Amino acid sequence: MNVMSSCGPLLAFLGVLYFSLKAFYGLGAPSFGDESGHMLGGLAIAKGDILYRDYIDAHGPLIFILSWSVGLFADFRHAYLMRLVSIICTIGTAVAVFYSPVLQKNSARFLAVGMWLAAMAAQWTVQAFNMDSYWTVGGDLLGCVTALVALPLLLGEDIGRWQARCGGACLALLPLTAYSFAPTVVLMGLSVLAVRRPGYGKAVPHLLAGGGVAIGVCLFWMLLYGDLGGMIAYHFIANQFYYALYIDVGPGPLARSLIPSLQQAALVQSLATICFYCGGILLFATSRHRLAVLLFLGAVLMTQVRGAMGFQDGTFVMGALTLCVLMVMRIAQSRETIGVLIAALFCIMFVTGLRQATSSPYAMNREQQREVGFHPIRENTDVGFVKVIQKYSGPKERILVIPYNPDVYIYAGRLSMRKYHEYLPWEADYGRHPWFGYKRDLCVDLSADLPPVIYFDDYRVWGRWSATDYMPCVLKVLAHDYQRDPVEKSVYIRRDRLDRDIIKTGNPALQSQNTQ
């Protein structure tokens, strides 16, 4: 056996082992608000809620479709199982890398998979790839399209039927992950059309077939479990015309994010940028379809239009990684010893280089992450505020948590008030100007349907907006109809529940605290 043939399977095995270890520990890593909202949504839909009608969230439907799938056999006590979504999707992308037509030798395929999995494992919890979130799913979809369709077309390789169909399905699902990925899909489509070579058109019907089936399945699911008009209102309109005013998006943030940095918080993005540059240069140098290459690279860049340096850059990171790994191994597959050395150095660069990185959701270094320990997110009756919430609300009753902390629902084992699992400044803006009858104004709906318990943490959103700035009406309802728990200050109990408890227990302490 030659060097590459023997080292390839070994590196692939080590990559699988390393990724499996990181994936396991990722099940018990700390949660993050966006992820908890996806978990809660999956559980709510599995229990009968309609997406974008009863459970409203700003993110695209695909992450909720996947979370709902796990929610069919999970519950609040096992909410961490939702993280299987990211694990399964990432394994699928690793398979796509292995079967990419870009690589002709199995030895090169094994090396590519080993490199890809080692790099992903090194970033897994640092960049929140372990979480049940759309940026990981989007990155996996982009990686599959890159490996199975885009690079083979640009490099003149034949694409099989199943590869074209899988690639078409992944491409069609990207805008359902987040509507902001639609420009990526458009540029990818133009890139395919810009390739002019004999026989390439045979793949197009299979691309369309795969995309059509994927869209059809999602539309059928939405007809059963979702509201298409609500998706437009709360995912597209609310994000594009209200939330976008609160964030920095455009060429400036994008350009700044593409400048490599040695800062600990920017190490993952810096390595992704280097991968994008290396893969892009190799692709441009080896492909005869220069215009198509530029369109493809533009498509990958469009996933980073927000210019994020934290976990929101996950889709770009995975796309850049897939591009780099496949292009490097395509060049090196004819030079076996060099290929092994490059693969080994690539893995060492990621594994050792990211030991100094801080996790993007929590700004914790490696040692701090270890100190936090293994704590899967699930219902936790030992938490003080959970005891109060469960005391004053039944298992089938809904509560409200504001402004934003979906973890509370999971810890307490309670679903959210219909239409509201949070309320933030841009949502209040939308409430004053709803789209075509899709009204969502907490000032109106809260008074009409008072939940038994409200968890209210009066913090400033992004350090700027307090509740008095955008939802003073809610504070009035709290003052009139609720009373703060004397111990758990964030928990507000509806007065009729409190009066009932006072009568039963004769506890005068509950009468002393009022809402200010």
PDB file of all heavy atoms in Angstrom, residues 6-38:
ATOM      1  N   SER A   6      -2.684   4.210   2.971  1.00  0.00           N
ATOM      2  CA  SER A   6      -2.694   3.747   4.356  1.00  0.00           C
ATOM      3  C   SER A   6      -2.997   4.860   5.340  1.00  0.00           C
ATOM      4  O   SER A   6      -3.660   4.627   6.360  1.00  0.00           O
ATOM      5  CB  SER A   6      -1.337   3.111   4.702  1.00  0.00           C
ATOM      6  OG  SER A   6      -0.294   4.049   4.493  1.00  0.00           O
ATOM      7  N   CYS A   7      -2.524   6.070   5.066  1.00  0.00           N
ATOM      8  CA  CYS A   7      -2.734   7.181   5.996  1.00  0.00           C
ATOM      9  C   CYS A   7      -4.139   7.767   5.889  1.00  0.00           C
ATOM     10  O   CYS A   7      -4.661   8.285   6.881  1.00  0.00           O
ATOM     11  CB  CYS A   7      -1.702   8.278   5.741  1.00  0.00           C
ATOM     12  SG  CYS A   7      -0.020   7.828   6.217  1.00  0.00           S
ATOM     13  N   GLY A   8      -4.743   7.699   4.697  1.00  0.00           N
ATOM     14  CA  GLY A   8      -6.069   8.275   4.518  1.00  0.00           C
ATOM     15  C   GLY A   8      -7.109   7.689   5.454  1.00  0.00           C
ATOM     16  O   GLY A   8      -7.762   8.418   6.206  1.00  0.00           O
ATOM     17  N   PRO A   9      -7.301   6.354   5.446  1.00  0.00           N
ATOM     18  CA  PRO A   9      -8.286   5.767   6.375  1.00  0.00           C
ATOM     19  C   PRO A   9      -7.961   6.043   7.838  1.00  0.00           C
ATOM     20  O   PRO A   9      -8.871   6.229   8.654  1.00  0.00           O
ATOM     21  CB  PRO A   9      -8.206   4.271   6.058  1.00  0.00           C
ATOM     22  CG  PRO A   9      -7.734   4.214   4.641  1.00  0.00           C
ATOM     23  CD  PRO A   9      -6.773   5.349   4.510  1.00  0.00           C
ATOM     24  N   LEU A  10      -6.673   6.062   8.185  1.00  0.00           N
ATOM     25  CA  LEU A  10      -6.297   6.344   9.573  1.00  0.00           C
ATOM     26  C   LEU A  10      -6.715   7.757   9.965  1.00  0.00           C
ATOM     27  O   LEU A  10      -7.301   7.963  11.048  1.00  0.00           O
ATOM     28  CB  LEU A  10      -4.786   6.172   9.753  1.00  0.00           C
ATOM     29  CG  LEU A  10      -4.246   6.528  11.155  1.00  0.00           C
ATOM     30  CD1 LEU A  10      -4.868   5.639  12.216  1.00  0.00           C
ATOM     31  CD2 LEU A  10      -2.713   6.433  11.172  1.00  0.00           C
ATOM     32  N   LEU A  11      -6.451   8.733   9.104  1.00  0.00           N
ATOM     33  CA  LEU A  11      -6.831  10.110   9.419  1.00  0.00           C
ATOM     34  C   LEU A  11      -8.355  10.253   9.474  1.00  0.00           C
ATOM     35  O   LEU A  11      -8.885  10.954  10.341  1.00  0.00           O
ATOM     36  CB  LEU A  11      -6.258  11.067   8.372  1.00  0.00           C
ATOM     37  CG  LEU A  11      -6.515  12.563   8.636  1.00  0.00           C
ATOM     38  CD1 LEU A  11      -5.847  12.989   9.931  1.00  0.00           C
ATOM     39  CD2 LEU A  11      -6.005  13.420   7.480  1.00  0.00           C
ATOM     40  N   ALA A  12      -9.039   9.567   8.575  1.00  0.00           N
ATOM     41  CA  ALA A  12     -10.495   9.613   8.601  1.00  0.00           C
ATOM     42  C   ALA A  12     -11.036   9.020   9.903  1.00  0.00           C
ATOM     43  O   ALA A  12     -11.958   9.567  10.518  1.00  0.00           O
ATOM     44  CB  ALA A  12     -11.074   8.863   7.400  1.00  0.00           C
ATOM     45  N   PHE A  13     -10.452   7.907  10.335  1.00  0.00           N
ATOM     46  CA  PHE A  13     -10.875   7.278  11.594  1.00  0.00           C
ATOM     47  C   PHE A  13     -10.640   8.221  12.766  1.00  0.00           C
ATOM     48  O   PHE A  13     -11.510   8.375  13.648  1.00  0.00           O
ATOM     49  CB  PHE A  13     -10.118   5.965  11.800  1.00  0.00           C
ATOM     50  CG  PHE A  13     -10.360   5.337  13.141  1.00  0.00           C
ATOM     51  CD1 PHE A  13     -11.545   4.683  13.410  1.00  0.00           C
ATOM     52  CD2 PHE A  13      -9.396   5.425  14.136  1.00  0.00           C
ATOM     53  CE1 PHE A  13     -11.776   4.112  14.660  1.00  0.00           C
ATOM     54  CE2 PHE A  13      -9.622   4.864  15.389  1.00  0.00           C
ATOM     55  CZ  PHE A  13     -10.813   4.196  15.646  1.00  0.00           C
ATOM     56  N   LEU A  14      -9.460   8.848  12.803  1.00  0.00           N
ATOM     57  CA  LEU A  14      -9.165   9.787  13.888  1.00  0.00           C
ATOM     58  C   LEU A  14     -10.106  10.987  13.848  1.00  0.00           C
ATOM     59  O   LEU A  14     -10.538  11.491  14.886  1.00  0.00           O
ATOM     60  CB  LEU A  14      -7.708  10.249  13.791  1.00  0.00           C
ATOM     61  CG  LEU A  14      -6.647   9.185  14.056  1.00  0.00           C
ATOM     62  CD1 LEU A  14      -5.244   9.749  13.819  1.00  0.00           C
ATOM     63  CD2 LEU A  14      -6.768   8.627  15.471  1.00  0.00           C
ATOM     64  N   GLY A  15     -10.423  11.443  12.633  1.00  0.00           N
ATOM     65  CA  GLY A  15     -11.368  12.560  12.496  1.00  0.00           C
ATOM     66  C   GLY A  15     -12.746  12.198  13.009  1.00  0.00           C
ATOM     67  O   GLY A  15     -13.394  12.986  13.712  1.00  0.00           O
ATOM     68  N   VAL A  16     -13.219  10.999  12.678  1.00  0.00           N
ATOM     69  CA  VAL A  16     -14.525  10.533  13.163  1.00  0.00           C
ATOM     70  C   VAL A  16     -14.512  10.417  14.673  1.00  0.00           C
ATOM     71  O   VAL A  16     -15.471  10.827  15.361  1.00  0.00           O
ATOM     72  CB  VAL A  16     -14.885   9.180  12.515  1.00  0.00           C
ATOM     73  CG1 VAL A  16     -16.105   8.566  13.192  1.00  0.00           C
ATOM     74  CG2 VAL A  16     -15.139   9.355  11.022  1.00  0.00           C
ATOM     75  N   LEU A  17     -13.441   9.861  15.224  1.00  0.00           N
ATOM     76  CA  LEU A  17     -13.330   9.688  16.672  1.00  0.00           C
ATOM     77  C   LEU A  17     -13.327  11.039  17.382  1.00  0.00           C
ATOM     78  O   LEU A  17     -14.039  11.237  18.386  1.00  0.00           O
ATOM     79  CB  LEU A  17     -12.052   8.908  16.994  1.00  0.00           C
ATOM     80  CG  LEU A  17     -11.880   8.413  18.431  1.00  0.00           C
ATOM     81  CD1 LEU A  17     -12.979   7.417  18.777  1.00  0.00           C
ATOM     82  CD2 LEU A  17     -10.507   7.778  18.600  1.00  0.00           C
ATOM     83  N   TYR A  18     -12.543  11.974  16.873  1.00  0.00           N
ATOM     84  CA  TYR A  18     -12.446  13.307  17.474  1.00  0.00           C
ATOM     85  C   TYR A  18     -13.779  14.038  17.396  1.00  0.00           C
ATOM     86  O   TYR A  18     -14.241  14.645  18.370  1.00  0.00           O
ATOM     87  CB  TYR A  18     -11.348  14.090  16.748  1.00  0.00           C
ATOM     88  CG  TYR A  18     -11.036  15.452  17.321  1.00  0.00           C
ATOM     89  CD1 TYR A  18     -11.003  15.685  18.688  1.00  0.00           C
ATOM     90  CD2 TYR A  18     -10.738  16.521  16.459  1.00  0.00           C
ATOM     91  CE1 TYR A  18     -10.704  16.938  19.199  1.00  0.00           C
ATOM     92  CE2 TYR A  18     -10.427  17.774  16.966  1.00  0.00           C
ATOM     93  CZ  TYR A  18     -10.412  17.973  18.328  1.00  0.00           C
ATOM     94  OH  TYR A  18     -10.106  19.218  18.836  1.00  0.00           O
ATOM     95  N   PHE A  19     -14.420  13.936  16.233  1.00  0.00           N
ATOM     96  CA  PHE A  19     -15.720  14.592  16.084  1.00  0.00           C
ATOM     97  C   PHE A  19     -16.761  13.957  17.005  1.00  0.00           C
ATOM     98  O   PHE A  19     -17.585  14.659  17.604  1.00  0.00           O
ATOM     99  CB  PHE A  19     -16.194  14.512  14.630  1.00  0.00           C
ATOM    100  CG  PHE A  19     -17.572  15.067  14.425  1.00  0.00           C
ATOM    101  CD1 PHE A  19     -17.781  16.432  14.370  1.00  0.00           C
ATOM    102  CD2 PHE A  19     -18.675  14.225  14.305  1.00  0.00           C
ATOM    103  CE1 PHE A  19     -19.052  16.957  14.200  1.00  0.00           C
ATOM    104  CE2 PHE A  19     -19.951  14.735  14.133  1.00  0.00           C
ATOM    105  CZ  PHE A  19     -20.141  16.099  14.084  1.00  0.00           C
ATOM    106  N   SER A  20     -16.755  12.638  17.127  1.00  0.00           N
ATOM    107  CA  SER A  20     -17.717  11.957  17.997  1.00  0.00           C
ATOM    108  C   SER A  20     -17.557  12.416  19.437  1.00  0.00           C
ATOM    109  O   SER A  20     -18.552  12.635  20.147  1.00  0.00           O
ATOM    110  CB  SER A  20     -17.524  10.434  17.910  1.00  0.00           C
ATOM    111  OG  SER A  20     -17.731   9.970  16.594  1.00  0.00           O
ATOM    112  N   LEU A  21     -16.308  12.564  19.889  1.00  0.00           N
ATOM    113  CA  LEU A  21     -16.054  13.027  21.254  1.00  0.00           C
ATOM    114  C   LEU A  21     -16.585  14.439  21.460  1.00  0.00           C
ATOM    115  O   LEU A  21     -17.273  14.727  22.447  1.00  0.00           O
ATOM    116  CB  LEU A  21     -14.552  12.975  21.535  1.00  0.00           C
ATOM    117  CG  LEU A  21     -14.102  13.369  22.944  1.00  0.00           C
ATOM    118  CD1 LEU A  21     -14.618  12.370  23.965  1.00  0.00           C
ATOM    119  CD2 LEU A  21     -12.579  13.454  23.020  1.00  0.00           C
ATOM    120  N   LYS A  22     -16.296  15.323  20.519  1.00  0.00           N
ATOM    121  CA  LYS A  22     -16.762  16.707  20.619  1.00  0.00           C
ATOM    122  C   LYS A  22     -18.282  16.790  20.518  1.00  0.00           C
ATOM    123  O   LYS A  22     -18.922  17.604  21.207  1.00  0.00           O
ATOM    124  CB  LYS A  22     -16.114  17.559  19.527  1.00  0.00           C
ATOM    125  CG  LYS A  22     -14.634  17.822  19.738  1.00  0.00           C
ATOM    126  CD  LYS A  22     -14.420  18.767  20.907  1.00  0.00           C
ATOM    127  CE  LYS A  22     -12.966  19.193  21.005  1.00  0.00           C
ATOM    128  NZ  LYS A  22     -12.761  20.182  22.094  1.00  0.00           N
ATOM    129  N   ALA A  23     -18.871  15.956  19.662  1.00  0.00           N
ATOM    130  CA  ALA A  23     -20.324  15.953  19.515  1.00  0.00           C
ATOM    131  C   ALA A  23     -20.990  15.534  20.813  1.00  0.00           C
ATOM    132  O   ALA A  23     -22.022  16.096  21.215  1.00  0.00           O
ATOM    133  CB  ALA A  23     -20.740  15.027  18.375  1.00  0.00           C
ATOM    134  N   PHE A  24     -20.406  14.549  21.493  1.00  0.00           N
ATOM    135  CA  PHE A  24     -20.968  14.113  22.767  1.00  0.00           C
ATOM    136  C   PHE A  24     -20.905  15.236  23.798  1.00  0.00           C
ATOM    137  O   PHE A  24     -21.906  15.550  24.459  1.00  0.00           O
ATOM    138  CB  PHE A  24     -20.229  12.881  23.292  1.00  0.00           C
ATOM    139  CG  PHE A  24     -20.624  12.501  24.689  1.00  0.00           C
ATOM    140  CD1 PHE A  24     -21.837  11.862  24.929  1.00  0.00           C
ATOM    141  CD2 PHE A  24     -19.804  12.803  25.770  1.00  0.00           C
ATOM    142  CE1 PHE A  24     -22.217  11.525  26.219  1.00  0.00           C
ATOM    143  CE2 PHE A  24     -20.181  12.470  27.060  1.00  0.00           C
ATOM    144  CZ  PHE A  24     -21.394  11.831  27.288  1.00  0.00           C
ATOM    145  N   TYR A  25     -19.746  15.847  23.949  1.00  0.00           N
ATOM    146  CA  TYR A  25     -19.623  16.937  24.923  1.00  0.00           C
ATOM    147  C   TYR A  25     -20.475  18.137  24.513  1.00  0.00           C
ATOM    148  O   TYR A  25     -20.929  18.911  25.372  1.00  0.00           O
ATOM    149  CB  TYR A  25     -18.160  17.343  25.084  1.00  0.00           C
ATOM    150  CG  TYR A  25     -17.386  16.384  25.966  1.00  0.00           C
ATOM    151  CD1 TYR A  25     -16.402  15.564  25.441  1.00  0.00           C
ATOM    152  CD2 TYR A  25     -17.662  16.293  27.327  1.00  0.00           C
ATOM    153  CE1 TYR A  25     -15.704  14.667  26.237  1.00  0.00           C
ATOM    154  CE2 TYR A  25     -16.965  15.408  28.136  1.00  0.00           C
ATOM    155  CZ  TYR A  25     -15.996  14.596  27.590  1.00  0.00           C
ATOM    156  OH  TYR A  25     -15.313  13.706  28.389  1.00  0.00           O
ATOM    157  N   GLY A  26     -20.700  18.281  23.223  1.00  0.00           N
ATOM    158  CA  GLY A  26     -21.554  19.366  22.765  1.00  0.00           C
ATOM    159  C   GLY A  26     -22.991  19.227  23.220  1.00  0.00           C
ATOM    160  O   GLY A  26     -23.715  20.228  23.325  1.00  0.00           O
ATOM    161  N   LEU A  27     -23.435  18.009  23.524  1.00  0.00           N
ATOM    162  CA  LEU A  27     -24.788  17.809  24.035  1.00  0.00           C
ATOM    163  C   LEU A  27     -24.972  18.454  25.401  1.00  0.00           C
ATOM    164  O   LEU A  27     -26.095  18.801  25.785  1.00  0.00           O
ATOM    165  CB  LEU A  27     -25.108  16.313  24.129  1.00  0.00           C
ATOM    166  CG  LEU A  27     -25.217  15.550  22.808  1.00  0.00           C
ATOM    167  CD1 LEU A  27     -25.397  14.062  23.077  1.00  0.00           C
ATOM    168  CD2 LEU A  27     -26.375  16.076  21.969  1.00  0.00           C
ATOM    169  N   GLY A  28     -23.877  18.604  26.143  1.00  0.00           N
ATOM    170  CA  GLY A  28     -23.967  19.156  27.486  1.00  0.00           C
ATOM    171  C   GLY A  28     -23.370  20.532  27.631  1.00  0.00           C
ATOM    172  O   GLY A  28     -23.219  21.037  28.753  1.00  0.00           O
ATOM    173  N   ALA A  29     -23.009  21.186  26.516  1.00  0.00           N
ATOM    174  CA  ALA A  29     -22.481  22.546  26.571  1.00  0.00           C
ATOM    175  C   ALA A  29     -23.606  23.525  26.869  1.00  0.00           C
ATOM    176  O   ALA A  29     -24.781  23.221  26.645  1.00  0.00           O
ATOM    177  CB  ALA A  29     -21.789  22.902  25.250  1.00  0.00           C
ATOM    178  N   PRO A  30     -23.285  24.722  27.376  1.00  0.00           N
ATOM    179  CA  PRO A  30     -24.329  25.700  27.713  1.00  0.00           C
ATOM    180  C   PRO A  30     -25.209  26.025  26.514  1.00  0.00           C
ATOM    181  O   PRO A  30     -24.780  25.969  25.364  1.00  0.00           O
ATOM    182  CB  PRO A  30     -23.528  26.926  28.173  1.00  0.00           C
ATOM    183  CG  PRO A  30     -22.223  26.381  28.632  1.00  0.00           C
ATOM    184  CD  PRO A  30     -21.934  25.214  27.736  1.00  0.00           C
ATOM    185  N   SER A  31     -26.445  26.383  26.787  1.00  0.00           N
ATOM    186  CA  SER A  31     -27.391  26.734  25.729  1.00  0.00           C
ATOM    187  C   SER A  31     -27.301  28.222  25.418  1.00  0.00           C
ATOM    188  O   SER A  31     -26.623  28.984  26.101  1.00  0.00           O
ATOM    189  CB  SER A  31     -28.817  26.380  26.158  1.00  0.00           C
ATOM    190  OG  SER A  31     -29.163  27.118  27.322  1.00  0.00           O
ATOM    191  N   PHE A  32     -28.016  28.606  24.374  1.00  0.00           N
ATOM    192  CA  PHE A  32     -28.060  30.005  23.959  1.00  0.00           C
ATOM    193  C   PHE A  32     -29.492  30.320  23.553  1.00  0.00           C
ATOM    194  O   PHE A  32     -30.226  29.439  23.095  1.00  0.00           O
ATOM    195  CB  PHE A  32     -27.100  30.242  22.793  1.00  0.00           C
ATOM    196  CG  PHE A  32     -27.008  31.678  22.361  1.00  0.00           C
ATOM    197  CD1 PHE A  32     -26.301  32.592  23.126  1.00  0.00           C
ATOM    198  CD2 PHE A  32     -27.629  32.114  21.201  1.00  0.00           C
ATOM    199  CE1 PHE A  32     -26.219  33.916  22.740  1.00  0.00           C
ATOM    200  CE2 PHE A  32     -27.542  33.433  20.808  1.00  0.00           C
ATOM    201  CZ  PHE A  32     -26.838  34.341  21.583  1.00  0.00           C
ATOM    202  N   GLY A  33     -29.901  31.565  23.732  1.00  0.00           N
ATOM    203  CA  GLY A  33     -31.296  31.936  23.540  1.00  0.00           C
ATOM    204  C   GLY A  33     -31.891  31.521  22.212  1.00  0.00           C
ATOM    205  O   GLY A  33     -32.994  30.955  22.165  1.00  0.00           O
ATOM    206  N   ASP A  34     -31.199  31.795  21.107  1.00  0.00           N
ATOM    207  CA  ASP A  34     -31.743  31.439  19.796  1.00  0.00           C
ATOM    208  C   ASP A  34     -31.986  29.940  19.697  1.00  0.00           C
ATOM    209  O   ASP A  34     -33.022  29.493  19.186  1.00  0.00           O
ATOM    210  CB  ASP A  34     -30.781  31.874  18.687  1.00  0.00           C
ATOM    211  CG  ASP A  34     -30.807  33.375  18.469  1.00  0.00           C
ATOM    212  OD1 ASP A  34     -31.561  34.056  19.170  1.00  0.00           O
ATOM    213  OD2 ASP A  34     -30.064  33.861  17.601  1.00  0.00           O
ATOM    214  N   GLU A  35     -31.022  29.168  20.187  1.00  0.00           N
ATOM    215  CA  GLU A  35     -31.168  27.720  20.142  1.00  0.00           C
ATOM    216  C   GLU A  35     -32.345  27.262  20.987  1.00  0.00           C
ATOM    217  O   GLU A  35     -33.149  26.423  20.563  1.00  0.00           O
ATOM    218  CB  GLU A  35     -29.896  27.043  20.640  1.00  0.00           C
ATOM    219  CG  GLU A  35     -30.021  25.526  20.650  1.00  0.00           C
ATOM    220  CD  GLU A  35     -28.977  24.833  21.520  1.00  0.00           C
ATOM    221  OE1 GLU A  35     -28.492  25.433  22.480  1.00  0.00           O
ATOM    222  OE2 GLU A  35     -28.669  23.662  21.229  1.00  0.00           O
ATOM    223  N   SER A  36     -32.470  27.798  22.184  1.00  0.00           N
ATOM    224  CA  SER A  36     -33.566  27.401  23.072  1.00  0.00           C
ATOM    225  C   SER A  36     -34.915  27.720  22.448  1.00  0.00           C
ATOM    226  O   SER A  36     -35.893  26.987  22.634  1.00  0.00           O
ATOM    227  CB  SER A  36     -33.430  28.110  24.424  1.00  0.00           C
ATOM    228  OG  SER A  36     -32.203  27.773  25.044  1.00  0.00           O
ATOM    229  N   GLY A  37     -34.970  28.821  21.686  1.00  0.00           N
ATOM    230  CA  GLY A  37     -36.201  29.146  20.973  1.00  0.00           C
ATOM    231  C   GLY A  37     -36.552  28.098  19.932  1.00  0.00           C
ATOM    232  O   GLY A  37     -37.727  27.782  19.707  1.00  0.00           O
ATOM    233  N   HIS A  38     -35.529  27.527  19.272  1.00  0.00           N
ATOM    234  CA  HIS A  38     -35.778  26.463  18.300  1.00  0.00           C
ATOM    235  C   HIS A  38     -36.250  25.194  18.998  1.00  0.00           C
ATOM    236  O   HIS A  38     -37.168  24.512  18.512  1.00  0.00           O
ATOM    237  CB  HIS A  38     -34.501  26.172  17.509  1.00  0.00           C
ATOM    238  CG  HIS A  38     -33.977  27.361  16.782  1.00  0.00           C
ATOM    239  ND1 HIS A  38     -32.631  27.538  16.501  1.00  0.00           N
ATOM    240  CD2 HIS A  38     -34.599  28.460  16.277  1.00  0.00           C
ATOM    241  CE1 HIS A  38     -32.462  28.681  15.863  1.00  0.00           C
ATOM    242  NE2 HIS A  38     -33.638  29.260  15.718  1.00  0.00           N
TER     243      HIS A  38
END
